[in-house]
Amino acid sequence: MPDSTGSGAGAAQAALDAVQRYPREAITIAERVLAAGRSAGDDERSTAERATGLALRELNDLPGALRHLRRAVRAAGTPRTRALARMSLGYVLANAGRTAAALRAVTAALPQLTGADAGRARMQRGVVLHYRGRYDEAVRDYGLAIDIAQREGDTLLEARARNNRGLLNAHRGSAGGTDDDLARAAAAFQRLGLDLAAADARWNSGIAAGQRGDIAAALRCFAAVDEEYRRLAVPRPALLLDRFELLLSVPLVDEAVEVAAAAVRELRRRGMASDLAEALLARARAALLANDLDTATGAAAQARVRFRRQGRRTWAAFARHVELRAEFRRGTRSATLLTAMARTADQLDATGWPGPALTTRIEAGLLAAASGRAGRAVALFEVAARARRRGTAPRRVQGWYALALSRRLNGDDPGAARALRRGLAVLDRHRTSLGATELRAHSGTYGRELAAEGLDIAVRAGAPARVLAWAERWRANTLRMRAALPPDDPDLVAALAELRLVSSLLEDAVLAGRPAHALRGRQARLEQRIRDLGRRVPGGTGVVTPPGVGTLADRLGSRVLVELVAHGDRLRAVLVRDGRASLHDLGPLAEAVHLARSHRFGLRRLVTTGDSAAARAGAGHAAAALDRQLFDPLRRHLADRAMVIVPVGALHAVPWSGLPTCAGRAVTAAPSATVWLGADHRQPPAGPPVLAGGPRLPAAQAEVRRLARVLPGARLLTGADATADALTSALDGAGLVHIAAHGTFRADNPQFSTLELADGPLFAYEWERVARPPGCVVLSACDSGLTGVRPGDEVMGFTAVLLALGARCLIATVLPVPADPTTALMLDLHRRMRAGARPAQALADAQRAFVASGDSTARATAAAFVCLGAG
């Protein structure tokens, strides 16, 4: 945040000196001066009013700050003191969004000031110009202030000017000198004992890290400085906007939406008009990414009106860009919209917003191409393509995308494909640097357009091997990267332990019918803290290259690979058998998704409400229809072979053995062919089996004891011994792990999906710390095999954690399952695996035997289990 203050005399000067260190104490000192009435001189009273106003600014009371600063101007007895008061008034007016009045006030003060006072005024004028979007002029005034400060030996002024210049250059993406300015400012503030100002400068270093794409460093910085703000008990609501920018850069869209809404509420409550306009723009940008076009348009229009009223035309152009993009997303394809988008892109470029300018220009090019204006589209894309050589990784990715679009319009599909591959390579390096699984998964958004374009080129060419290559190039990329373990952080361990306790207390309260609002709030705060701590993981290195058809065929042997691919609104499949790949159209994607959901709904009814003619008919009809759509075009290629299937989107949750073609067949589902290949190559560890049973599930204890007779030498964790720490430690190096416990899948944040153990829930996130993953894991908990699917078919949850760590295979459920009947199925499964059957074949045979001996409920229970990874 930009920073500002100045000087005076006596006790009033002491109040002014205390403003940034102890704003509340500064107000108390100033009030004593003002209480003395006329016995204090005019200049001293003016300085006291000025100290009070600036302290209130630090405490975010802008109306109060303006009131006292106007009194300071009126009370001044000399031109110098009046000019100093006007200078501070201008700063707070800029904060309040009244930038034209602010610029007049500061400019009027300049002629009356010399020496260090003139330096302060120059810095203040830079702040106002900064708010108005006149960045080059602002940088020039900050530089003049630094020169004056060095000449006058004023360390505090130099630190403030460096802090402001560093912040401005960080926002503009200017690397030169930014970190040096901010580091020198923070060090100077610290030497002067100005803890709050030092914290602000360090926070700005976090902004700079985020702007250059170092998300982990930015998060570490923000977390450390946030602790300092809490220690100093000084509110900083405008910093929500910096957090928003970081979330949007990943992008973590849901969190960005929440933070933007919180910023609007808080800044409106505090009357911070300038920051409120930016918060409204933030809400619009987040809504646009979330595809909430009405909110995006409304909030952007409100922000644009406020920016114009404040004289901030640069920001108004930014808000206009969001309105235009929302209109484009609605399907508008008019010449008027094209002209407005191209003009706004030029305005954004000219005023220092290269990122929004780039996005707007690309979408204007797409609009021109859709309108038959190929020449105009190529011209727009060629300008946008210049971004591939500079800027942050997401911006370079967009530049390569623009180049590819230009080449496609010119009929150069091979050149377009090369550009798309270059763009995805940039994205791979960026995602590897993020470290944390969650950040890597969400960052797949940036590759969506590139992968879709490459896939379209391959499909139109009718080239199955190339379609497979493009599908793999973007699919489940997080699992292709070498995992980075979460930090060995005592704060993280403590937060997880506290969350376990709070979650247990919350469940007890809900079951007992007691109020749980406070516990829910505490749970949400702890989850946010754990996410923040986990996101600090430094980046790893290395990305596994997707395999070609030949490599896959060598490993598949007699098995068949079916990789499902979304191509626009169509569902396609690449089938690999005996070294050959073929491409198939499976019909409308929406129809397959609808049938898959209907099938799950029918099976869930059978499991939860019992066997009935209506439930049987519903599940059977959906299963038959989905089976026809997915497998009729492939049937002659499948024969009776074992199958590896790579789903897409919502089809990750299909209970495969519930479909006629898959019943009794060894079927393994994998997030990608690359992940399957890596898992199939992996040799499982040789550690003894581990059997764990959770609480409040009598059948689980019986299941584990009976399994112990099937698996002699197994380590048992039951009753009070089945704790989160004990199980996590036991996973390390185990050849086989079986867990019978209540499970909960969290669609809102899959990494917080849980297995209930003796001391509370075990979170999927915690397993990221296992150094030597088990070979095969069997989870007989409800919904334990469900995954959250992010753009790029990035999966999150227990499945993703275990496969990313290096587990070979996971057998888990994608539906609720009744406890007692499941035990018989699990015993048969383990007997078959112990006899030497591969997991997928053992599961298929156990399911077939289980179904033959039961009713439709048994059939649904068996279908709930899927083999994931490499069975």
Side-chain angles (χ1 to χ4, degrees):
M1 61 174 52
D3 150 53
S4 160
T5 354
S7 60
Q13 181 61 43
L16 197 61
D17 291 342
V19 161
Q20 282 202 306
R21 213 179 279 136
Y22 311 111
R24 291 182 177 85
E25 288 81 348
I27 293 171
T28 301
I29 296 168
E31 284 173 345
R32 286 201 293 268
V33 173
L34 295 170
R38 288 293 172 184
S39 62
D42 289 347
D43 282 356
E44 193 162 358
R45 281 189 296 108
S46 175
T47 302
E49 293 282 10
R50 182 169 162 234
T52 302
L54 290 171
L56 289 171
R57 161 64 188 84
E58 291 297 318
L59 298 171
N60 297 298
D61 178 0
L62 293 188
L66 289 171
R67 189 166 58 251
H68 283 278
L69 288 168
R70 288 191 177 101
R71 289 177 189 167
V73 173
R74 290 195 298 271
T78 63
R80 174 182 176 271
T81 304
R82 185 172 294 108
L84 291 171
R86 279 184 175 141
M87 180 180 74
S88 297
L89 175 62
Y91 171 67
V92 178
L93 282 167
N95 274 244
R98 300 175 58 185
T99 57
L103 189 58
R104 285 196 299 273
V106 178
T107 303
L110 267 171
Q112 306 297 325
L113 300 172
T114 59
D117 290 339
R120 293 186 189 92
R122 279 288 171 191
M123 186 194 69
Q124 217 74 298
R125 189 169 183 273
V127 170
V128 177
L129 291 166
H130 185 163
Y131 275 112
R132 286 182 69 82
R134 291 161 61 176
Y135 299 132
D136 291 338
E137 294 172 75
V139 166
R140 186 164 57 248
D141 272 352
Y142 289 148
L144 288 170
I146 292 168
D147 291 343
I148 293 170
Q150 290 175 334
R151 188 170 63 244
E152 299 290 328
D154 191 326
T155 303
L156 179 57
L157 172 59
E158 181 181 352
R160 286 174 176 149
R162 284 191 182 279
N163 177 53
N164 293 351
R165 186 172 70 178
L167 175 62
L168 175 52
N169 282 329
H171 279 306
R172 291 208 303 174
S174 304
T178 296
D179 290 336
D180 180 62
D181 269 345
L182 294 172
R184 289 174 69 172
F189 286 135
Q190 205 73 59
R191 286 195 305 272
L192 294 167
L194 297 172
D195 293 349
L196 180 57
D200 287 342
R202 286 197 297 274
W203 182 276
N204 291 343
S205 293
I207 295 172
Q211 289 291 324
R212 64 174 178 264
D214 192 346
I215 307 298
L219 287 165
R220 288 194 296 272
C221 182
F222 284 171
V225 179
D226 204 42
E227 292 289 332
E228 182 71 1
Y229 285 139
R230 276 199 285 271
R231 184 185 71 79
L232 295 169
V234 175
R236 281 286 190 263
L239 300 188
L240 285 168
L241 296 175
D242 297 327
R243 183 175 181 80
F244 165 84
E245 292 293 344
L246 195 62
L247 292 169
L248 208 64
S249 72
V250 174
L252 294 163
V253 178
D254 291 343
E255 280 185 66
V257 168
E258 291 174 11
V259 169
V264 169
R265 287 193 303 271
E266 186 65 13
L267 295 166
R268 179 172 277 139
R269 185 177 72 82
R270 293 179 179 274
M272 299 174 70
S274 180
D275 291 321
L276 175 58
E278 293 177 34
L280 287 166
L281 176 57
R283 173 185 276 176
R285 292 164 64 201
L288 186 65
L289 272 184
N291 211 34
D292 180 358
L293 301 183
D294 289 340
T295 298
T297 301
Q302 290 180 56
R304 181 165 55 87
V305 169
R306 286 175 176 270
F307 287 136
R308 285 193 172 280
R309 194 180 299 144
Q310 294 168 11
R312 301 168 70 187
R313 295 190 178 277
T314 300
W315 285 85
F318 196 169
R320 180 62 175 152
H321 126 96
V322 177
E323 291 180 87
L324 295 172
R325 289 187 63 205
E327 194 62 29
F328 176 72
R329 296 276 183 89
R330 280 196 176 89
T332 301
R333 298 293 183 267
S334 67
T336 302
L337 180 60
L338 173 59
T339 301
M341 292 181 81
R343 182 174 60 245
T344 300
D346 290 340
Q347 290 172 346
L348 290 166
D349 253 341
T351 51
W353 294 109
L358 175 60
T359 306
T360 304
R361 191 168 280 118
I362 289 174
E363 292 189 350
L366 292 170
L367 194 162
S371 305
R373 303 177 67 177
R376 182 76 186 279
V378 167
L380 287 162
F381 290 144
E382 286 178 349
V383 174
R386 297 170 191 163
R388 71 190 187 278
R389 301 296 186 193
R390 61 183 183 276
T392 62
R395 203 177 299 163
R396 296 199 308 277
V397 170
Q398 284 187 293
W400 284 109
Y401 175 53
L403 181 62
L405 293 173
S406 172
R407 286 177 174 175
R408 282 205 82 179
L409 282 174
N410 285 322
D412 181 10
D413 278 2
R418 287 194 299 274
L420 294 167
R421 283 192 289 269
R422 292 285 296 273
L424 286 169
V426 171
L427 182 59
D428 276 348
R429 290 192 293 273
H430 169 64
R431 298 176 80 190
T432 301
S433 75
L434 294 177
T437 301
E438 182 190 22
L439 299 184
R440 287 177 172 181
H442 283 272
S443 66
T445 299
Y446 290 119
R448 180 174 8 213
E449 292 89 354
L450 285 82
E453 200 70 24
L455 187 70
D456 185 65
I457 292 171
V459 168
R460 291 179 187 280
R466 283 159 54 194
V467 172
L468 179 65
W470 276 108
E472 285 292 305
R473 188 63 189 77
W474 189 49
R475 172 171 269 156
N477 270 358
T478 296
L479 300 185
R480 290 201 290 118
M481 299 173 184
R482 295 195 179 98
L485 294 179
D488 188 11
D489 183 346
D491 290 340
L492 181 57
V493 173
L496 283 164
E498 186 179 354
L499 179 60
R500 197 173 349 272
L501 172 63
V502 168
S503 298
S504 298
L505 293 172
L506 175 59
E507 183 166 4
D508 291 344
V510 170
L511 291 174
R514 297 193 301 270
H517 179 73
L519 285 169
R520 289 189 197 281
R522 189 173 166 198
Q523 181 188 48
R525 288 191 295 275
L526 280 167
E527 287 181 0
Q528 182 60 60
R529 176 159 173 74
I530 289 165
R531 284 196 294 265
D532 287 345
L533 290 167
R535 289 167 183 170
R536 302 183 200 176
V537 183
T541 57
V543 180
V544 178
T545 303
V549 170
T551 304
L552 285 169
D554 290 345
R555 194 69 191 179
L556 282 166
S558 63
R559 291 171 289 192
V560 176
L561 171 76
V562 176
E563 178 140 350
L564 302 180
V565 179
H567 176 231
D569 59 0
R570 305 294 292 179
L571 180 64
R572 303 186 189 274
V574 177
L575 186 144
V576 179
R577 169 182 158 156
D578 297 337
R580 296 175 63 86
S582 54
L583 179 63
H584 307 268
D585 184 355
L586 305 185
L589 175 61
E591 178 66 13
V593 170
H594 170 70
L595 290 171
R597 287 174 176 158
S598 298
H599 182 221
R600 282 178 49 78
F601 176 76
L603 291 178
R604 185 182 286 267
R605 280 184 66 194
L606 284 170
V607 169
T608 56
T609 64
D611 198 358
S612 72
R616 276 199 312 275
H621 171 76
L626 181 61
D627 191 81
R628 284 194 300 273
Q629 180 175 356
L630 295 183
F631 298 119
D632 272 4
L634 314 177
R635 202 162 302 283
R636 69 183 181 87
H637 300 279
L638 295 175
D640 60 353
R641 299 188 181 208
M643 178 165 52
V644 178
I645 189 159
V646 178
V648 63
L651 301 185
H652 280 277
V654 169
W656 294 104
S657 72
L659 303 183
T661 299
C662 300
R665 184 194 300 262
V667 175
T668 302
S672 73
T674 309
V675 170
W676 171 81
L677 183 66
D680 203 62
H681 273 292
R682 217 167 278 135
Q683 289 299 314
V690 174
L691 307 174
R696 298 193 307 109
L697 198 60
Q701 309 301 316
E703 180 174 307
V704 166
R705 285 193 296 271
R706 292 175 68 181
L707 283 172
R709 293 195 288 271
V710 176
L711 300 168
R715 178 182 175 186
L716 267 65
L717 295 173
T718 58
D721 293 334
T723 63
D725 282 347
L727 178 57
T728 302
S729 298
L731 287 177
D732 204 303
L736 172 69
V737 176
H738 180 101
I739 304 169
H742 281 301
T744 302
F745 175 69
R746 284 275 301 275
D748 64 318
N749 194 325
Q751 300 300 86
F752 284 104
S753 297
T754 59
L755 297 173
E756 186 179 345
L757 296 175
D759 59 341
L762 170 77
F763 302 98
Y765 174 85
E766 295 181 80
W767 279 359
E768 291 190 352
R769 296 192 53 75
V770 175
R772 293 179 304 152
C776 179
V777 178
V778 180
L779 300 176
S780 58
C782 297
D783 295 331
S784 53
L786 285 178
T787 55
V789 184
R790 302 296 183 255
D793 282 305
E794 297 291 358
V795 294
M796 296 177 69
F798 281 110
T799 300
V801 170
L802 287 166
L803 293 178
L805 285 173
R808 196 174 191 278
C809 133
L810 170 69
I811 293 174
T813 64
V814 292
L815 289 166
V817 287
D820 293 321
T822 300
T823 297
L825 177 63
M826 293 295 95
L827 286 167
D828 193 16
L829 167 70
H830 282 286
R831 287 192 190 102
R832 293 173 189 275
M833 286 198 294
R834 183 164 174 77
R838 292 175 66 104
Q841 189 63 60
L843 178 62
D845 292 343
Q847 286 170 322
R848 180 165 48 194
F850 188 73
V851 167
S853 63
D855 57 10
S856 294
T857 302
R859 186 176 297 112
T861 300
F865 284 86
V866 294
C867 183
L868 303 155

